Amino acid sequence: MLSPKSKPSYGVIVVPDRITKKDYDTVVIGGGPAGLAAALKAREKGLETLVVETRDRLGGIPLQCIHPGFGIHYFKEDMTGPEFVYRFIDKLLSTDIDYTVKSYVNMAEYVSPMEKKLEIITPYGTEIVRTKTIIYAAGARERTRYEIGITGPNPAGIMTAGEAQTLMDMYGVMPGKKILIVGSGDVGLIMARRFVLEGAEVVGVVEILPYPSGLIRNVQQCLKDYGIPLLLSHMVISVKQRNGRVSSAVVVKVDENFKPIQGTENEIECDTIVIAAGLKPRTKLLESLGAQIDPRTKGPVVNEYFETTIPGVFAAGNALIINDYVDYAVEQGELAALAATKYVDEKGIRIKKPVKIVLGRNMRLIVPQMLTLTSDALFYGRVARPEDNVWLSFKEIGFKIPQLKVLPSIMIRQKIRLDKLRMLETDTLTVEVIPRD
Amino acid sequence: MYRTIIIGAGITGLSIARWLTRYRGLQVIVIDKEPDVGWGVTKANTSIIHPCHEEHPDKHPLRSKLCLEGHNLWYKWVKELEIPAKWPGEIIVATNDEELKGLHKYIDYAYRIGVPGVRLIDRGEMLRLEPWINPDAIGGLYAPTAGTINPMMAAIAIAENIVDNGGKLLLGTRVEDIVVRDGKVVAVETSKGGIEADIVVNAAGLYADKISRMAGIDDYSIHPRRGQYLLFSDRVDVKPNKILHTAPTPKTKGVYAITTVDGNLLIGPTAEDLPEEAREENTTTHQGLDFIYEMASRILRKLPPRNKVVKTFAGLRPEPSTGTFIIRFHEKPWGFVEAAGIRSPGLTAAPAIGKHVSKLIIERLENIEPRKDWRSKRQAIPRPAYMAPRERDKLIRENPDYGWIICVCRKVSLGEIMEAVKRMKKIGVPEITLDGIKFRTHSMYGDCQGSQCRPHIAYLLWKRLGIQPWRITTKGDGSKYAFTEVKALLRGDRGA
Ligand SMILES: Cc1cc2nc3c(=O)[nH]c(=O)nc-3n(C[C@H](O)[C@H](O)[C@H](O)COP(=O)(O)OP(=O)(O)OC[C@H]3O[C@@H](n4cnc5c(N)ncnc54)[C@H](O)[C@@H]3O)c2cc1C
Ligand SMILES: Cc1cc2nc3c(=O)[nH]c(=O)nc-3n(C[C@H](O)[C@H](O)[C@H](O)COP(=O)(O)OP(=O)(O)OC[C@H]3O[C@@H](n4cnc5c(N)ncnc54)[C@H](O)[C@@H]3O)c2cc1C
């Protein structure tokens, strides 16, 4: 664990680039929380490590998150995004871990179990490096208006929450004055408050579900405290424009199958529509390597080492599964680094018995999707619909954990020890949510 | 020196201008109301270079001739100007006997127009040629010469070539009137003042009828026919190699499914007749998009899910009341030329329309001679991510900006963005727009539609060139990207 007392040095732009070798034990792709944590852990375990980051600085998404809510689990402290991530950056700068920013992994090639070749484009030319393992921690991107079916013209003023946040909190630019927010997850809620605090008017938060998908605490502190209307069971179906900028959103009520109800269309005036409708893991490079993608998580299929279907290629953070908390991304990064260490030491990860994880009742998605049965397993999953008073059950091993409440918006995290898993007699393990009566 | 003013910097006006720059004794000026080239009809269409076997040789003799001639010129133009293009051929897919029967006439048209290779193919051959075709289809018509280009890249390339050859663009300039004296055009009045002219060419797309009326010509009108599209991610597996489309109807060439030169599955368009005044209604609707999806599923084995859409958009066809291209040199007023009603296959025909119109002009002027120093070539902006490492490194050594990939969806470097800005200035754009950068570099053009790179691009333009993010627009006019600085609203300053 890192010292919680290390002084944050945020604001310092990290410039010098160091690719000092042609061969590494692990190359970490992505310099966000998952990647930084992975690199630190890998180095601690003695691996020759390189971090590759496309942006001009290390840190990833938390750099633009100036609100608190980071590090509650990991540091047992409530910090802003930059404070949180600079603990890792400062630590990294004090090590001999190689890193390079403004650098893009253009191509990855699987040569053999102990050799992967990467082509990296950097401002000082193309670098070809070889590595035994890859930890892919390239984060996620946000869903766009087109992916959530908003029709109409294509004017300026429709942007994702992350874009708005980058403009405001990294570059000091105010993207709008009269804002409509789509999506009531924590990101949408936090952005609503952020806009109000900067003097903008937030005309509403539109949510397709019948309940807000963010934390109750955030609904209170970000909306209710500021009198921002929350429109549940509503969706934005199209937009209107004036002079090339958004002038209003057409909002409609939806039925229980999320189908628009005729005649309930309502036009809400705004100059900006902020889409906070969820994230999608970035998987381009993994796909080019031939890794299998899970249509549910939209990230790679992995085993309990977070190893993808390509041997020696691991995934962590939002590139693996969309996390609620940065702490989980960090945790996955560290676990992936330990796995990469094992891979390097033992020349691969052996499978004792291949097990497939099956989604049972009310489970929407889960990682890992498969097991080798050689280690404890940490499961992260989401349910399909809210339910009270249930068991989270791992059916074939007869393991059940009581849950007071499950929500799609709250990730389930459950560790299962190897001795329990070893009781498995089948080659599938079903994870399900069942009523507790 | 004759001054020729071309109204409209779409593919038609630009093609005409490119031909005219080949002559000594002419000054060529292209005017457009938009702050960049190609932002009218040229921006949103199916992008097909048609084989031209679907034109009726008797009903539209000029159109079918220009279509084929234009098609053949494009092979040369895409090479000279480094325009992204490919020539995979096309199949009209019939799903029932009636549709199949309807295809026979195109073999006759093809024969009479001179389109090579057009023939009927049976189901087996069709599925071998294109495994993505729906196996329920019963047969089709194959036209091996069909191609597709990136129309915006084409407009931009031609514009650069025009300026390189001494032509001039006046962008962000609206033509408001045409001055006729003694039966001759003598000037145009614009939002930025009057400009004298000897020849005025009307290539104003959707607004061509209004321009003609300014010159006293009032024998046709134009109404918009909308076409909506769904564009899918370049990472979906559905990638037909051939250009596919449903059997044509009297109104359109049917719904197409193509893999664009940029690697995206594009399906569309609809054909919706809109009222005459709806010339800016390039908006999508749920009905329209559902219709396309349904039609495309008839000809494709499988469609990607709707949430793999990266963009939806609509274009408006400038449908002339006469039903055909209106291309003429007026004696009254002398010097007024029209290239109006350039509906489909206007993109295909453009180079030939340019040639034809320039001929109409040249043959009426004196002392006009071909230039020996005319430059046929234009170079595309280099794309380091797609180059061999050695070539790329040479570029990066000269300019390290080419080594920093800013847009990860389309792998676009900062160097490309800066080069685009330089080129925009060179052709005389009145302002740098985000869409202008998008169309030139394809940053902000991929899966995330710019949500990741756009703020960084805006920031870099600010730091490098001093263009503040609240001064930059997406597409000119009121389409501002941002309003003001953070904290300004709290100070009571409502921004721009
Ligand atoms: C608006 C918002 C608010 C949030 N609020 C909170 C909160 O209050 N509390 C909390 O705990 N969490 C919060 N989160 C979640 C948290 O930020 C994420 O869980 C965390 O950042 C994920 O870390 P990561 O390392 O997986 O991804 P990222 O932080 O996205 O880092 C990935 C990095 O990889 C780089 N990269 C991508 N592709 C490549 C490539 N090909 N080559 C090289 N580099 C590449 C990217 O530039 C990026 O820097 C919030 C997220 C958002 C969007
Ligand atoms: C849905 C659809 C699908 C199509 N598919 C194909 C296809 O696959 N293949 C094909 O060959 N063709 C196709 N076409 C046709 C083709 O796109 C058009 O024929 C072609 O783009 C017309 O170009 P243009 O230059 O004539 O018009 P435009 O591109 O509209 O150019 C006219 C310009 O004039 C400017 N202008 C107007 N009024 C003024 C004024 N007062 N002052 C200054 N400037 C003014 C406008 O801003 C505009 O830029 C399609 C068209 C549509 C809409």
Side-chain angles (χ1 to χ4, degrees):
Chain A
M1 176 120 152
L2 301 174
S3 150
K5 282 190 219 79
S6 67
K7 245 193 258 135
S9 65
Y10 38 90
V12 178
I13 294 179
V14 174
V15 262
D17 301 287
R18 307 181 300 208
I19 297 186
T20 60
K21 303 180 186 66
K22 290 279 163 220
D23 289 281
Y24 288 92
D25 293 322
T26 194
V27 172
V28 177
I29 301 176
L36 293 168
L40 286 167
K41 186 57 83 185
R43 190 70 198 113
E44 187 189 308
K45 293 292 167 193
L47 300 194
E48 296 292 355
T49 306
L50 167 68
V51 180
V52 185
E53 166 60 50
T54 42
R55 300 264 305 274
D56 59 350
R57 61 198 82 181
L58 298 171
I61 294 292
L63 292 175
Q64 71 200 42
C65 300
I66 63 165
H67 56 276
F70 287 80
I72 302 166
H73 298 269
Y74 192 81
F75 291 116
K76 308 276 180 274
E77 247 185 273
D78 193 359
M79 291 180 264
T80 64
E83 284 172 315
F84 175 85
V85 81
Y86 266 91
R87 293 231 174 139
F88 294 88
I89 295 173
D90 286 346
K91 181 81 192 284
L92 186 128
L93 295 182
S94 71
T95 68
D96 61 353
I97 295 172
D98 280 2
Y99 67 90
T100 176
V101 297
K102 296 188 182 176
S103 301
Y104 177 75
V105 180
N106 192 37
M107 245 175 326
E109 189 191 326
Y110 178 89
V111 182
S112 69
M114 297 306 278
E115 183 182 344
K116 283 101 203 162
K117 203 171 105 184
L118 298 178
E119 182 191 276
I120 309 171
I121 303 179
T122 79
Y124 43 89
T126 307
E127 296 277 342
I128 309 282
V129 301
R130 279 159 213 287
T131 179
K132 298 192 175 92
T133 62
I134 292 172
I135 298 176
Y136 187 76
R141 71 159 177 89
E142 296 168 282
R143 292 208 293 157
T144 68
R145 71 167 267 206
Y146 303 105
E147 288 168 307
I148 59 170
I150 300 180
T151 60
N154 292 326
I158 307 178
M159 61 187 77
T160 63
E163 182 172 2
Q165 204 177 38
T166 304
L167 282 174
M168 288 164 80
D169 296 331
M170 293 196 71
Y171 300 142
V173 175
M174 205 54 202
K177 292 190 277 200
K178 198 167 185 176
I179 323 290
L180 182 76
I181 295 195
V182 181
S184 71
D186 290 317
V187 172
L189 299 175
I190 287 168
M191 285 311 288
R193 175 178 63 187
R194 186 77 198 96
F195 272 107
V196 172
L197 292 177
E198 286 302 336
E201 182 189 351
V202 177
V203 292
V205 174
V206 180
E207 170 60 60
I208 193 166
L209 296 172
Y211 50 87
S213 57
L215 298 172
I216 299 303
R217 189 191 70 198
N218 279 336
V219 175
Q220 182 64 44
Q221 294 175 357
C222 299
L223 299 190
K224 293 199 175 139
D225 289 359
Y226 298 95
I228 299 170
L230 175 60
L231 290 151
L232 298 174
S233 296
H234 275 76
M235 69 186 279
V236 175
I237 51 164
S238 70
V239 300
K240 297 202 170 160
Q241 61 122 26
R242 193 182 311 124
N243 275 334
R245 177 95 190 183
V246 177
S247 59
S248 66
V250 181
V251 171
V252 64
K253 209 169 154 46
V254 297
D255 63 19
E256 53 284 7
N257 302 315
F258 309 123
K259 292 270 169 285
I261 302 171
Q262 290 264 320
T264 61
E265 290 86 0
N266 183 18
E267 217 175 301
I268 301 181
E269 255 185 64
C270 57
D271 58 37
T272 307
I273 298 176
V274 171
I275 313 283
L279 301 153
K280 241 182 174 171
R282 287 191 187 113
T283 52
K284 188 145 121 183
L285 201 73
L286 289 178
E287 283 173 52
S288 76
L289 271 164
Q292 188 184 350
I293 303 300
D294 179 346
R296 300 218 172 213
T297 59
K298 310 255 189 317
V301 170
V302 295
N303 59 25
E304 69 270 45
Y305 295 94
F306 301 144
E307 184 187 28
T308 67
T309 53
I310 308 298
V313 179
F314 301 84
N318 279 356
L320 169 64
I321 184 172
I322 302 307
N323 290 283
D324 302 343
Y325 293 108
V326 73
D327 309 73
Y328 295 158
V330 165
E331 179 176 63
Q332 291 149 12
E334 292 183 344
L335 285 172
L338 292 177
T341 311
K342 183 179 165 81
Y343 188 98
V344 170
D345 290 348
E346 298 174 12
K347 302 212 164 21
I349 288 188
R350 263 156 267 296
I351 301 172
K352 176 126 190 194
K353 173 177 161 185
V355 173
K356 230 182 118 200
I357 307 298
V358 175
L359 294 168
R361 185 185 173 280
N362 197 16
M363 282 301 298
R364 185 157 64 99
L365 54 86
I366 199 151
V367 292
Q369 296 89 339
M370 51 192 193
L371 300 176
T372 64
L373 280 201
T374 57
S375 146
D376 300 345
L378 185 54
F379 288 93
Y380 300 89
R382 284 183 199 278
V383 297
R385 50 184 190 276
E387 235 178 331
D388 289 336
N389 211 15
V390 288
W391 297 107
L392 172 64
S393 150
F394 292 78
K395 191 170 161 192
E396 288 82 353
I397 55 170
F399 184 67
K400 290 198 294 193
I401 311 100
Q403 310 271 325
L404 274 181
K405 190 179 192 66
V406 289
L407 280 169
S409 56
I410 297 184
M411 196 154 89
I412 289 171
R413 175 183 175 280
Q414 185 61 48
K415 187 168 176 168
I416 312 245
R417 292 180 31 173
L418 181 60
D419 49 354
K420 282 250 165 50
L421 292 170
R422 283 252 164 91
M423 288 157 51
L424 191 67
E425 281 165 7
T426 51
D427 56 6
T428 56
L429 175 59
T430 310
V431 185
E432 57 184 6
V433 173
I434 48 177
R436 189 149 60 112
D437 38 26
Chain B
M1 202 68 161
Y2 296 94
R3 182 181 283 166
T4 308
I5 289 183
I6 296 158
I7 305 168
I11 202 70
T12 306
L14 292 168
S15 297
I16 296 168
R18 182 171 195 240
W19 279 103
L20 290 175
T21 57
R22 296 173 154 224
Y23 297 94
R24 194 190 312 281
L26 272 178
Q27 186 191 10
V28 180
I29 300 176
V30 187
I31 302 187
D32 204 294
K33 61 184 169 59
E34 301 298 331
D36 204 341
V37 298
W39 283 11
V41 185
T42 300
K43 183 162 81 168
N45 54 62
T46 321
S47 71
I48 313 289
I49 303 305
H50 291 291
C52 306
H53 58 307
E54 288 165 59
E55 299 303 322
H56 197 301
D58 300 327
K59 269 197 223 152
H60 303 295
L62 179 64
R63 198 162 86 194
S64 37
K65 173 178 165 280
L66 292 174
C67 183
L68 183 65
E69 199 183 329
H71 177 108
N72 291 333
L73 280 167
W74 273 118
Y75 295 113
K76 193 161 164 228
W77 284 35
V78 298
K79 283 216 185 90
E80 286 173 346
L81 301 170
E82 298 194 348
I83 296 164
K86 59 177 184 179
W87 307 92
E90 78 167 37
I91 300 173
I92 306 181
V93 181
T95 55
N96 58 43
D97 286 328
E98 202 185 329
E99 284 178 3
L100 196 59
K101 241 185 266 144
L103 299 180
H104 288 261
K105 62 177 175 291
Y106 299 124
I107 298 178
D108 176 48
Y109 293 1
Y111 178 73
R112 288 166 58 198
I113 298 167
V115 182
V118 178
R119 64 190 172 95
L120 287 168
I121 50 177
D122 65 17
R123 181 174 171 277
E125 184 176 5
M126 186 168 80
L127 294 176
R128 268 198 307 284
L129 275 173
E130 181 49 71
W132 278 111
I133 291 180
N134 190 332
D136 295 341
I138 60 169
L141 186 81
Y142 180 43
T145 56
T148 170
I149 64 172
N150 182 310
M152 281 308 284
M153 287 286 194
I156 291 160
I158 299 171
E160 288 177 9
N161 184 240
I162 291 168
V163 171
D164 199 33
N165 280 309
K168 212 174 149 180
L169 300 182
L170 290 178
L171 302 172
T173 307
R174 179 187 302 272
V175 172
E176 289 167 347
D177 206 357
I178 294 170
V179 187
V180 177
R181 202 174 300 138
D182 304 330
K184 287 177 66 176
V185 292
V186 293
V188 297
E189 294 292 348
T190 78
S191 53
K192 293 192 176 158
I195 312 162
E196 287 180 8
D198 301 293
I199 305 282
V200 174
V201 182
N202 172 8
L206 283 161
Y207 295 91
D209 55 345
K210 310 221 159 172
I211 298 288
S212 286
R213 268 171 234 157
M214 292 174 192
I217 313 278
D218 196 6
D219 58 355
Y220 72 97
S221 62
I222 284 185
H223 84 270
R225 182 176 291 164
R226 182 163 65 191
Q228 303 187 35
Y229 295 91
L230 287 160
L231 182 78
F232 289 92
S233 166
D234 54 356
R235 281 154 64 200
V236 302
D237 58 350
V238 187
K239 282 198 196 260
N241 166 37
K242 302 268 178 255
I243 293 165
L244 304 179
H245 68 108
T246 60
T249 69
K251 267 192 197 166
T252 77
K253 295 196 161 70
V255 168
Y256 280 81
I258 74 165
T259 303
T260 66
V261 282
D262 310 309
N264 299 72
L265 174 69
L266 176 72
I267 61 174
T270 54
E272 307 157 72
D273 283 308
L274 302 185
E276 234 185 88
E277 61 286 357
R279 298 184 200 199
E280 300 293 327
E281 274 301 304
N282 48 355
T283 61
T284 59
T285 64
H286 284 277
Q287 295 103 295
L289 299 178
D290 291 349
F291 169 80
I292 295 165
Y293 198 75
E294 154 64 24
M295 290 298 280
S297 71
R298 292 193 198 168
I299 54 170
L300 285 176
R301 181 182 291 270
K302 169 183 150 195
L303 266 178
R306 286 283 282 272
N307 65 6
K308 293 273 190 218
V309 160
V310 293
K311 179 140 192 168
T312 57
F313 61 93
L316 300 171
R317 305 170 183 84
E319 290 299 326
S321 51
T322 58
T324 193
F325 289 174
I326 298 162
I327 298 176
R328 45 194 186 181
F329 189 107
H330 287 274
E331 298 298 329
K332 238 184 164 100
W334 195 92
F336 185 66
V337 187
E338 283 162 328
I342 308 299
R343 39 94 80 197
S344 196
L347 178 68
T348 310
I353 295 174
K355 188 174 179 185
H356 186 72
V357 170
S358 66
K359 203 163 146 251
L360 291 180
I361 297 170
I362 300 302
E363 66 194 16
R364 284 173 172 83
L365 304 178
E366 279 156 21
N367 296 325
I368 299 291
E369 273 172 31
R371 283 168 56 177
K372 289 205 179 64
D373 60 347
W374 185 74
R375 276 181 271 204
S376 64
K377 293 216 160 40
R378 167 265 181 189
Q379 278 185 333
I381 297 177
R383 307 211 59 193
Y386 301 90
M387 290 175 164
R390 190 188 306 235
E391 248 184 293
R392 177 196 301 140
D393 288 352
K394 210 174 129 227
L395 189 67
I396 295 176
R397 229 172 293 127
E398 283 161 20
N399 180 357
D401 284 347
Y402 280 110
W404 182 12
I405 303 293
I406 297 281
C407 158
V408 293
C409 296
R410 293 280 185 183
K411 304 186 181 181
V412 181
S413 67
L414 178 59
E416 289 154 76
I417 291 162
M418 289 301 161
E419 174 66 17
V421 170
K422 210 162 96 191
R423 292 184 182 208
M424 286 165 82
K425 288 186 173 160
K426 190 160 175 218
I427 67 162
V429 301
E431 56 168 313
I432 302 298
T433 58
L434 292 170
D435 268 7
I437 294 174
K438 172 176 86 177
F439 287 125
R440 284 172 177 80
T441 63
H442 288 183
S443 59
M444 308 177 265
Y445 195 71
D447 283 3
C448 87
Q449 286 294 298
S451 63
Q452 304 176 92
C453 65
R454 188 168 32 234
H456 306 302
I457 292 173
Y459 175 76
L460 287 161
L461 294 175
W462 184 10
K463 290 298 129 181
R464 295 276 183 100
L465 307 168
I467 311 170
Q468 293 154 322
W470 45 91
R471 306 240 178 265
I472 198 160
T473 68
T474 300
K475 42 177 89 174
D477 206 13
S479 66
K480 58 180 60 138
Y481 179 50
F483 285 88
T484 178
E485 291 167 75
V486 162
K487 302 293 171 225
L489 297 183
L490 294 174
R491 290 196 304 262
D493 166 8
R494 301 298 291 168

